[in-house]
Amino acid sequence: MSEAEAAVPPHGAWRYASPDGELRPSLPEVHASVAVPQGGLWLRRLLAFAGPGYMVSVGYMDPGNWATDLAGGSQFGYTLLSVIMLSNLMAILLQSLSARLGIVTGRDLAQACRDHYPRPVNLMLWVACETAIIACDLAEVIGTAIALNLLFGIPLIGGALITALDAFLVLLLMQRGFRYLEAFVVALLMVIAGCFLVQIIAAAPPVAAVLHGFVPTTQVVTNPGMLYVAIGILGATVMPHNLYLHSSIVQTRAYPRTDEGRRDAITWATVDSTIALMLALFVNAAILILAASVFHGSGHTEVAEIGEAFELLSPLLGLGIASTLFAVALLASGLNSTVTATLAGQIVMEGFLRLRLPHWMRRLLTRGLAIIPVVVVTALYGESGTAQLLVFSQVVLSMQLPFAVIPLIRFVTDRGKMGRFVVPGWVAGLSWVVAGLIVVLNIKLLYDTVLG
């Protein structure tokens, strides 16, 4: 099957608005490059499709989420675990829609927007998404710099400059094949999960209290302070660039580009992303549980910054290696987020503008735009300024989210574009409810952050 044939969606599923009729596939260098067994054991097929979901899950446990999880646990104990679970269920739904769009149409979300919307709208969407990627990169630079500072004593400015080198790590892995990139991401995810598992076992939180925290309570809405942190958790969870990323990387699988092949691919891709996002749920819940057990339980209810948590963790937990494990997990989180931000940047630029830059140039440009504010703020305001910049990056991400969520739902609920693969009515209704909730909560988060 040629690249052009592989990129063609089902008959009648998509009307290309591109004036030149270009059918260039998303991420052409790795498109349909991962073999998928036809028939055989279900486990082999699951393993063949496993990978994109884990790469997407990285965005749900990046350094930007850590501050809100720490604040939620230290201030309110286990109560906000229900908010983490709710935000994770939203993420599972939206990522399944993103995977469906990519598999059915053969277009990633950026390409789909370019095909559907007029040029001025596309330029606005591109600017919004690029801003979100830079904001996400900002959180990664800060998180990685803080981790390097905590582990090796490297000054924050030096750590921020070192993060520019990770561009070459992504290039090296991409040259070896997409499976190597996925294996790298999964390995770091296992490091993160392992670090928190050890800390949770050492903290030994009361099981009944933890389980009760997953039960929704009206207190989240009636308590203004708790509501603010809850909105922060929701606002920092769903990342706009993940929706562009997932719609592209699911196409790296060499499934048959037939109705039956696409239906099968949707099933396995949804299973993959659901399992991976449950791992993200564990990590985010573990951060909050750790903060609730160690900080809230000992009366340290104001711990919200990563550096402060690092200093207090080992003494309060009584485990000398606890703080080191915390910083190692943070470093792994920052490195992992680099991979997904790099790919998302390439997908967005090529999809909206059809502009192809060398990967190293694209990566260094984005990373440079993120490093500059970190270096300037650190030099002027020190560590506290960096923590505030981390919060600001999440607010910027919140502002961009509607520009990805609304077009995605618009496309997958359109029978003219999706054909027989259009989502059922109940899924469409639930998706619009989730989109509305995300938009309202993010607007409130923005309003409270700017004016509060």
Side-chain angles (χ1 to χ4, degrees):
M1 182 183 295
S2 69
E3 278 191 354
E5 290 172 333
V8 176
H11 179 68
W14 194 273
R15 292 187 179 90
Y16 291 98
S18 310
D20 57 4
E22 182 185 358
L23 294 178
R24 186 181 184 87
S26 185
L27 291 178
E29 63 271 25
V30 291
H31 185 81
S33 63
V34 179
V36 174
Q38 302 303 309
L41 293 174
W42 66 268
L43 182 60
R44 290 186 61 215
R45 297 180 63 73
L46 174 61
L47 292 176
F49 279 95
Y54 291 91
M55 296 187 70
V56 166
S57 73
V58 167
Y60 293 93
M61 55 183 100
D62 76 339
N65 292 321
W66 287 47
T68 53
D69 293 337
L70 285 172
S74 64
Q75 290 182 48
F76 306 110
Y78 306 101
T79 307
L80 294 182
L81 283 172
S82 59
V83 177
I84 290 180
M85 183 176 67
L86 175 63
S87 63
N88 202 75
L89 293 174
M90 289 185 190
I92 288 173
L93 172 63
L94 292 174
Q95 294 301 157
S96 70
L97 298 182
S98 177
R100 177 182 289 260
L101 175 70
I103 291 169
V104 172
T105 67
R107 312 293 273 171
D108 60 53
L109 181 55
Q111 292 172 327
C113 288
R114 181 182 174 87
D115 292 343
H116 180 80
Y117 294 113
R119 183 173 177 80
V121 175
N122 272 306
L123 288 176
M124 180 194 72
L125 291 174
W126 171 69
V127 170
C129 194
E130 288 287 357
T131 304
I133 290 172
I134 292 170
C136 185
D137 222 36
L138 190 63
E140 293 155 17
V141 169
I142 294 171
T144 305
I146 291 174
L148 291 172
N149 175 258
L150 298 178
L151 287 171
F152 308 110
I154 298 174
L156 289 178
I157 293 178
L161 295 174
I162 289 174
T163 61
L165 300 176
D166 61 24
F168 302 103
L169 172 64
V170 178
L171 297 179
L172 176 64
L173 291 170
M174 281 286 282
Q175 287 175 355
R176 296 183 63 85
F178 200 74
R179 274 304 218 184
Y180 282 90
L181 197 65
E182 292 176 341
F184 175 79
V185 167
V186 171
L188 288 182
L189 288 176
M190 293 301 105
V191 169
I192 297 169
C195 288
F196 279 110
L197 182 61
V198 172
Q199 293 173 85
I200 291 296
I201 291 173
V207 176
V210 171
L211 293 178
H212 185 71
F214 284 104
V215 179
T217 172
T218 56
Q219 188 182 2
V220 175
V221 180
T222 57
N223 184 325
M226 191 177 292
L227 177 61
Y228 179 76
V229 177
I231 292 173
I233 291 174
L234 285 169
T237 297
V238 182
M239 296 293 177
H241 72 280
N242 268 346
L243 301 178
Y244 291 91
L245 177 69
H246 202 186
S247 61
S248 174
I249 59 178
V250 290
Q251 299 179 53
T252 59
R253 270 48 189 174
Y255 52 85
R257 264 54 176 182
T258 62
D259 282 358
E260 183 180 352
R262 288 183 173 91
R263 186 176 296 108
D264 192 49
I266 289 172
T267 299
W268 290 114
T270 303
V271 171
D272 169 50
S273 62
T274 301
I275 293 173
L277 288 172
M278 293 308 291
L279 174 62
L281 171 63
F282 166 76
V283 171
N284 282 322
I287 297 172
L288 190 143
I289 291 170
L290 194 64
S293 176
V294 178
F295 304 137
H296 185 79
S298 61
H300 295 77
T301 58
E302 300 301 322
V303 177
E305 294 186 7
I306 293 171
E308 188 178 4
F310 174 85
E311 295 294 337
L312 292 173
L313 199 53
S314 282
L316 293 177
L317 195 56
L319 179 67
I321 201 175
S323 292
T324 301
L325 290 175
F326 183 82
V328 168
L330 178 62
L331 180 60
S333 175
L335 289 174
N336 241 353
S337 299
T338 289
V339 174
T340 57
T342 299
L343 284 178
Q346 179 182 343
I347 292 162
V348 166
M349 181 170 283
E350 293 180 6
F352 278 116
L353 305 181
R354 296 212 184 102
L355 178 62
R356 290 182 60 82
L357 293 177
H359 299 326
W360 64 268
M361 183 183 297
R362 156 81 224 183
R363 184 59 195 145
L364 287 179
L365 177 62
T366 304
R367 180 47 57 103
L369 291 174
I371 288 175
I372 292 171
V374 176
V375 171
V376 172
V377 169
T378 303
L380 294 177
Y381 302 105
E383 196 169 320
S384 61
T386 307
Q388 293 175 0
L389 193 59
L390 186 60
V391 174
F392 174 73
S393 72
Q394 300 309 295
V395 175
V396 172
L397 280 169
S398 299
M399 293 170 61
Q400 315 310 320
L401 190 54
F403 298 107
V405 172
I406 292 174
L408 172 64
I409 299 177
R410 166 72 179 80
F411 295 147
V412 298
T413 56
D414 187 337
R415 186 173 296 276
K417 290 178 167 56
M418 299 293 288
R420 69 190 65 182
F421 293 101
V422 66
V423 296
W426 69 270
V427 176
L430 182 60
S431 300
W432 283 118
V433 169
V434 168
L437 179 62
I438 287 175
V439 170
V440 169
L441 291 178
N442 278 282
I443 289 173
K444 179 167 175 53
L445 174 63
L446 176 63
Y447 177 84
D448 290 345
T449 302
V450 173
L451 300 181

